[in-house]
């Protein structure tokens, strides 16, 4: 069994990656329905939490049906990270995660996210400040290093474990790579094989099929897998991987009815959490993914992304099945 502190995650947990502007409560709901074992909030600025910024505070919203759930923070200042940890602690998630992996320039230029990969001593100090400021299990998500000449993840893993983290997720790319090229899991495996490492090691990067999940599990020996981009518009990736790991058989993909149902649930949760105007607007990025590969869908997709009214979206979603049947007849 894989455990983070006292949290039991089962034999080989599947984690939903924290993704900015994606992994909000509505999205997490549909992923939880399809088998995600542990999920994280979008990353939250430690400075934003301290300033009581509305957007940062809203990202603290978690619900009991999501548990176990982790809140992820980022920042480059020890005092700010310690204060943010105390704020997170009060919201009572199951764990607190530190983001040392985000490669986005606006985060990196502030010395946060993957920007901290340039200064391992600072990474250790920031982590220690968080661990000392919360009663929650603290975990970290990071990358192999800043660039090809600084792949220092083996040292990082040992030092972060030594200051008290309870699990480590490693994305198999450097910051310089961003999301380009193929993720290299060989160093993730070396961390896992290190006899000094006693905490769970989760791998992240490029897992987009049950077959690849099984191959990477067997080849690299990680304790679990974190899935990000492959889950966007396709929360069924979690159930498909679990079924394949348990039986060796591939599940059929979701039916059209299941796609419509998941998208509709996501939409309703979005409207309920964000309000109709913002909920309608922010769902637009998801329609193409939910209905990817569906023939003759372009016209309906254009209508969905143009709709400004919740009832119009509901009507369009409800009509997809009939429109698809008619198109197939033609």
């Amino acid at each position: 069994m894989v455990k983070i502190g006292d949290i039991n995650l089962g034999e080989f947990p599947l984690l939903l990656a924290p993704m900015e502007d994606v992994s909000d409560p509505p999205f997490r709901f549909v992923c939880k329905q399809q088998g995600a074992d542990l999920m994280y909030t979008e990353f939250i600025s430690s400075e934003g939490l301290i300033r009581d910024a509305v957007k940062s505070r809203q990202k603290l919203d978690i619900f009991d049906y999501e548990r176990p759930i982790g809140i992820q923070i980022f920042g480059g200042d020890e005092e700010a990270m310690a204060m943010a940890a105390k704020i997170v602690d009060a919201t009572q998630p199951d764990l607190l995660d530190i983001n040392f992996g985000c490669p986005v320039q606006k985060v990196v230029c502030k010395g946060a996210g993957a920007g901290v990969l340039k200064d391992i001593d600072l990474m250790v100090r920031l982590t220690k400040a968080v661990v000392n400021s919360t009663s929650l299990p603290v975990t970290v998500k990071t990358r192999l290093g800043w660039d090809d000449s600084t792949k220092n993840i083996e040292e990082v893993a040992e030092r972060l474990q030594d200051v008290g983290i309870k699990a480590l997720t490693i994305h198999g790319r450097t910051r310089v790579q961003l999301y380009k090229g193929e993720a290299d899991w060989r160093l993730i495996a070396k961390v896992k094989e290190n006899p000094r490492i006693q905490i769970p090691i989760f791998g992240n990067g490029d897992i987009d099929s049950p077959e690849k999940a099984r191959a990477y599990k067997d080849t690299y020996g990680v304790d679990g897998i974190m899935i990000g981009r492959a889950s966007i518009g396709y929360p069924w990736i979690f159930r498909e991987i679990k079924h394949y790991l348990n039986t060796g058989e591939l599940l059929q993909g979701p039916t059209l009815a299941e796609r419509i149902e998941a998208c509709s649930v996501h939409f309703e949760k979005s409207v309920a959490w964000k309000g109709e105007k913002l909920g309608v607007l922010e769902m637009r990025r998801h329609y193409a993914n939910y209905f990817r590969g569906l023939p003759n869908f372009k016209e309906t997709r254009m209508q969905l992304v143009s709709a400004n009214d919740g009832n119009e979206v509901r009507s369009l979603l409800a009509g997809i099945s009939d429109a698809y049947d008619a198109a197939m007849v033609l």
Side-chain angles (χ1 to χ4, degrees), residues 34-217:
Q34 298 302 327
D37 295 301
L38 174 63
M39 305 187 296
Y40 295 88
T41 63
E42 301 169 82
F43 65 23
I44 306 173
S45 163
S46 56
E47 302 282 355
L49 280 182
I50 294 167
R51 292 196 312 269
D52 209 24
V54 173
K55 186 173 183 181
S56 294
R57 286 283 178 168
Q58 188 182 31
K59 289 180 181 179
L60 290 174
D61 286 355
I62 56 175
F63 302 89
D64 281 341
Y65 61 73
E66 299 183 281
R67 295 188 185 278
I69 179 81
I71 290 177
Q72 188 186 74
I73 61 174
F74 73 94
D77 178 81
E78 292 171 60
E79 184 177 356
M81 288 289 276
M83 291 175 66
K86 292 180 185 295
I87 295 170
V88 169
D89 198 288
T91 68
Q92 299 184 318
D94 297 286
L95 57 86
L96 190 162
D97 191 71
I98 306 172
N99 183 312
F100 290 139
C102 178
V104 176
Q105 182 60 27
K106 69 177 182 179
V107 173
V108 170
C109 71
K110 296 177 182 177
V116 185
L117 290 167
K118 290 182 174 181
D119 188 341
I120 304 308
D121 290 339
L122 174 60
M123 182 187 286
V124 173
R125 293 197 305 272
L126 290 168
T127 303
K128 187 174 182 179
V130 170
V131 170
N132 291 344
S133 300
T134 180
S135 60
L136 299 165
V138 175
T139 62
V140 164
K141 183 172 189 285
T142 189
R143 289 181 170 235
L144 301 178
W146 178 260
D147 57 24
D148 281 343
S149 64
T150 58
K151 291 182 178 179
N152 43 32
I153 189 61
E154 293 175 86
E155 175 193 352
V156 165
E158 289 192 1
R159 294 183 66 181
L160 295 188
Q161 178 180 260
D162 289 347
V163 296
I165 71 166
K166 301 301 182 185
L168 177 65
T169 300
I170 305 167
H171 182 97
R173 291 182 174 87
T174 63
R175 188 274 164 179
V176 168
Q177 283 182 274
L178 300 176
Y179 294 100
K180 298 173 184 174
E182 186 175 347
D184 184 354
W185 283 54
R186 291 172 297 179
L187 277 178
I188 304 177
K190 289 189 73 174
V191 172
K192 176 59 188 171
E193 293 163 2
N194 181 347
R196 272 207 63 207
I197 296 297
Q198 301 299 313
I199 59 175
I201 301 298
F202 303 119
N204 174 230
D206 295 350
I207 300 298
D208 57 8
S209 71
E211 298 97 322
K212 186 174 282 188
R214 177 65 175 269
Y216 279 40
K217 173 182 183 289

Side-chain angles (χ1 to χ4, degrees), residues 24 26 266-287 308 310 313:
D24 56 15
H266 191 168
F267 173 78
E268 295 299 345
K269 291 285 183 183
S270 185
V271 169
W273 186 59
K274 302 172 184 178
E276 180 162 323
K277 183 176 180 180
L278 191 59
V280 168
L281 182 66
E282 294 195 354
M283 270 300 293
R284 290 175 177 175
R285 67 172 69 105
H286 293 287
Y287 299 127
N308 294 308
V313 172

